[in-house]
Amino acid sequence: MNSKADAQRMEKIVSLCKRRGFIFQSSEIYGGLNGLWDYGPLGVELKRNLKSYWWRAMVHERDDVVGMDGSILMNRAVWKASGHEDTFSDPMVDCRVCKSRLRADQVIEKKGVRQCPNCGSKDLTEPRPFNLMFKTYVGATEDESSLTYLRPETAQSIFTQFKNILEVSRKKLPFGIAQIGKAFRNEINARNFTFRSREFEQMELEYFCRAEEGMNLLEYWKEERLKFYENIGIPREKLHVLTVPNEERAFYSKGTYDIEYDFPFGRQELEGVAYRTDYDLSQHQKASGKSLEYFDEETKQRFIPHVVEPSAGVDRTVLAVICEAYAEDEAPDEKGKMETRIVLRFHPRIAPIKCAVFPLLKNKELLVAKAKEIVDLLRPHMLIFYDESGAIGRRYRRQDEIGTPFCITVDFETLGEKDAKLRDTVTMRERDSMKQQRVKISDLLELLSVRIA
């Protein structure tokens, strides 16, 4: 694809997200607030399915990982000890002509001269630090003593609770602590739809280990995370592993990989997998005066564990899944005429709605009653959509556009009016191939449960 086609594709995706209730601009009726987004009825289901599958893969299906849910507000001392208060900033540049505010790495350079990427002006300010953390105050007074920050990452609450969780979980090294939660960064230039936002969610694991295990576990978690993305419908050929060079890694990291995806607006990071050594626990032990050491029962040694951190963005992954799923093809309408079909080819396990149920005609009481029986059968196990309005082809198209993998149609064969052998069977239609098959109502739950697992 060329850049124009990619831009058009991205415009279509953004339009679909609003039209079908995936993602809306925050505070839209007041003109919005840049870099902040609200998830609508379909978007919130997609997001929940993604987080649930991450939790299942990272916590429930393993015996070496436990979970936690830390608070967004923490003691200011946490951010001093971690280094965020002093160093968590981006160099910022202003264009004096178009008034754009840019990160220094967004400025382009031609023939050794810095230029604004928006207007081409060379009249730029010198880079200056811009603190990315949102300040707030805890308590009745707004002064230095009550200052803290909205957390810019979820990892620090894991480190500060390491000893408590170690004691209650009775885990032995290596083991991990997982968390999904909100984080906030006052981005200089929020852009690319939801990709770079000021409020976002992280899916993060801190996997604690001995120093000699660190590099091997870095490789292990890189491969595990690649498998995860493949299991939610992002093919391996669209994923790229960037080995972050020494000069770009955090000073405490011995190795970092960025897992990247080919978005329509370019290749961008989905997740970082970093070997953070023992830096974080050491910093918090030093600053708090509390021991964060691990006691090895076998060797009788005490030491501060090292940690490998796979950290993924929920919102970025949701956007990648939508971009990967979006497709256009040709399908016949009710009269057999070919028309363009917009379809979201979500993997069934993360599709917002798993199955739609239709009575062939809404004015036939027996068809409607049977369709609602099927809804009642399936609803306790998956999200179901019931629709009885419009031609059946139009109903299929609506479900294709929101990514529903299966549609069930209750027709006169279901009632046994044409063939007694077909009584209590329905038509099950598959979204991607549009193929249909007769299925017994009694087999529906098992069949669908296997397909969406």
Side-chain angles (χ1 to χ4, degrees), residues 117-129:
N118 298 323
C119 71
S121 170
K122 301 172 185 175
D123 191 6
L124 306 175
T125 64
E126 289 299 314
R128 60 192 188 280

Side-chain angles (χ1 to χ4, degrees), residues 354-376:
K354 307 304 185 187
C355 180
V357 179
F358 312 141
L360 186 63
L361 299 171
K362 69 177 181 180
N363 58 357
K364 294 295 183 181
E365 189 175 328
L366 291 177
L367 293 177
V368 171
K370 184 61 73 172
K372 290 186 175 178
E373 283 180 22
I374 294 171
V375 169
D376 291 340

Side-chain angles (χ1 to χ4, degrees), residues 69-117:
D69 185 10
S71 62
I72 287 171
L73 296 178
M74 301 178 71
N75 191 307
R76 182 184 178 184
V78 170
W79 306 113
K80 289 183 177 180
S82 67
H84 283 80
E85 185 168 272
D86 293 330
T87 64
F88 198 67
S89 62
D90 274 343
M92 177 182 68
V93 172
D94 287 331
C95 174
R96 295 189 178 96
V97 175
C98 70
K99 310 303 180 186
S100 295
R101 180 155 287 171
L102 311 161
R103 291 209 325 262
D105 63 359
Q106 293 175 302
V107 174
I108 59 176
E109 193 168 304
K110 292 184 178 179
K111 298 180 179 179
V113 179
R114 298 181 309 145
Q115 294 186 16
C116 173

Side-chain angles (χ1 to χ4, degrees), residues 1 22 35 49 67 69 95 121 140 170 199 205 209 228 260 280 290 311 389 397 428 439:
M1 275 194 188
F22 284 93
N49 290 345
D69 185 10
C95 174
S121 170
R170 300 171 63 203
E199 177 182 333
L205 172 70
C209 62
F228 172 85
E260 300 177 323
D280 297 278
K290 304 293 194 301
S311 177
S389 63
R397 293 294 176 274
M428 188 172 86
V439 176

Side-chain angles (χ1 to χ4, degrees), residues 187-205:
E187 295 285 354
I188 296 170
N189 186 17
R191 65 192 189 280
N192 290 332
F193 196 27
T194 59
F195 178 80
R196 190 175 292 280
S197 303
R198 293 187 167 97
E199 177 182 333
F200 54 95
E201 276 189 278
Q202 290 180 300
M203 303 180 290
E204 207 155 51
L205 172 70

Side-chain angles (χ1 to χ4, degrees), residues 225-248:
R225 299 306 301 142
L226 288 169
K227 291 176 192 174
F228 172 85
Y229 289 109
E230 292 183 272
N231 288 338
I232 59 171
I234 300 178
R236 185 66 179 82
E237 59 267 22
K238 294 284 190 73
L239 298 168
H240 308 276
V241 178
L242 171 69
T243 302
V244 179
N246 293 345
E247 62 273 15
E248 295 180 21

